[in-house]
Amino acid sequence: MKRLTALTVALLIGVTMFAQQALWGTAPVVSPEIHDNNTVTFRFKAPKAVRVQLTGDFLPVQKNAKFEAPGIVDLKEGQEGVWEYTTPEPLKPELYSYSFIVDGLRMNDPANVYLIRDVSTLTNVFIIGGDRADFYKVNPVPHGTVSRIWYDSPALGLERRMTVYTPAGYETSGKRYPVLYLLHGMGGDEEAWISLGRTAQILDNLIAQGKAKPMIVVMPNGNASQEAAPGESSRGMVPPTMQLPKTMEGSYEQAFPEIVKFIDKNYRTIKSKSGRAIAGLSMG
């Protein structure tokens, strides 16, 4: 009787697994697979594809007279239509991005849920740990708080959104903190630094190791015509674009003191020149 019961349970488990596999179409493909020696294998299941390629910022750069672009390599088709490529050399510690190109169409990796948006482009990401790349990870250290804050901008005639990082312990310390105003590049918005730049992870780790003082980091939207990032404003789910009105024509710079005033009013800041810094990328 016990043997029969065990057999019944085994059959039920097998049927359940088969049903799940049938529901999702196939057994999962592992991609990217980071090996112990830091080589990485990428896989893409496409039984009917003619050509599958990989492009990423870890590949040798393509160069021509006009621009530089990430390299492209071909994957090799294996069993059951799974295409595969393994990097010939170990990758150095870093945060990397990549995409597939399937018969000429750029596609994300369906086996990797980790994506970042850069303007209107979504790319998969993965981390090779070690050295400075460990700062990009969520480690067992005290964590700060990330808030999306709305403020009134009379100069621009808009309610606008920005991202603010406060260090671990801010809520209970009663202390005043210096402020770093961190500006994004062209096409970015208030989501750029916190997602692409992994600001919160880096600050958490640097502060925990005593390599940075606890600080408030303010990441505003540098596009004077925008309330907030695409999909986060009253305009709804508009396509992201770099071609925005009032780009780099002075309106944002004139309105910037409103941000400083708002932060000083609503956060425990060091309200002096010595307590403020500003940094940025490209347009920022």
Side-chain angles (χ1 to χ4, degrees), residues 135-138 141-146 165-166 193-195 197-207 217 219:
F135 289 118
Y136 308 151
K137 295 181 176 180
V138 177
V141 300
H143 301 298
T145 299
V146 177
Y165 167 90
T166 50
W193 275 111
I194 205 67
S195 57
R198 299 184 75 81
T199 309
Q201 293 88 344
I202 293 171
L203 263 295
D204 284 349
N205 292 318
L206 286 174
I207 292 169
V217 180
M219 293 155 274

Side-chain angles (χ1 to χ4, degrees), residues 18-252:
F18 179 80
Q20 288 180 337
Q21 184 169 322
L23 177 65
W24 299 110
T26 183
V29 172
V30 178
S31 178
E33 181 180 2
I34 301 172
H35 303 289
D36 291 340
N37 65 350
N38 284 352
T39 58
V40 182
T41 297
F42 301 87
R43 298 182 180 93
F44 193 95
K45 185 160 187 176
K48 296 182 180 181
V50 175
R51 189 180 191 186
V52 178
Q53 297 171 293
L54 174 74
T55 181
D57 52 12
F58 49 88
L59 295 170
V61 173
Q62 302 178 75
K63 295 183 179 180
N64 61 33
K66 293 183 178 180
F67 61 89
E68 293 185 354
I72 298 175
V73 294
D74 288 298
L75 281 70
K76 183 177 180 181
E77 187 175 11
Q79 295 181 351
E80 299 182 358
V82 176
W83 298 70
E84 186 172 296
Y85 171 81
T86 300
T87 58
E89 301 291 337
L91 298 184
K92 295 180 180 180
E94 188 54 271
L95 171 71
Y96 294 103
S97 62
Y98 71 98
S99 299
F100 290 112
I101 304 171
V102 182
D103 293 340
L105 179 65
R106 189 183 184 103
M107 300 183 67
N108 295 124
D109 188 346
N112 183 2
V113 299
Y114 298 102
L115 294 153
I116 55 174
R117 177 180 66 86
D118 188 1
V119 193
S120 59
T121 301
L122 284 174
T123 54
N124 290 105
V125 293
F126 64 96
I127 296 175
I128 298 291
D131 297 333
R132 71 175 186 179
D134 286 341
F135 289 118
Y136 308 151
K137 295 181 176 180
V138 177
N139 292 310
V141 300
H143 301 298
T145 299
V146 177
S147 304
R148 271 67 172 185
I149 303 296
W150 289 84
Y151 72 101
D152 182 41
S153 174
L156 298 177
L158 295 169
E159 287 285 325
R160 308 190 76 238
R161 195 176 84 144
M162 57 184 157
T163 301
V164 179
Y165 167 90
T166 50
Y170 171 86
E171 290 84 357
T172 58
S173 70
K175 297 178 181 178
R176 292 192 172 273
Y177 294 84
V179 183
L180 170 63
Y181 292 90
L182 191 54
L183 312 182
H184 60 77
M186 187 172 181
D189 47 60
E190 77 276 13
E191 295 291 325
W193 275 111
I194 205 67
S195 57
L196 277 77
R198 299 184 75 81
T199 309
Q201 293 88 344
I202 293 171
L203 263 295
D204 284 349
N205 292 318
L206 286 174
I207 292 169
Q209 294 183 22
K211 295 181 178 180
K213 292 183 178 181
M215 68 181 78
I216 298 168
V217 180
V218 179
M219 293 155 274
N221 187 317
N223 304 299
S225 64
Q226 277 188 329
E227 299 169 20
E232 300 293 341
S233 74
S234 62
R235 295 188 64 201
M237 297 182 181
V238 296
T241 178
M242 296 178 70
Q243 308 302 318
L244 292 167
K246 299 183 179 180
T247 298
M248 295 186 290
E249 46 78 82
S251 296
Y252 177 64

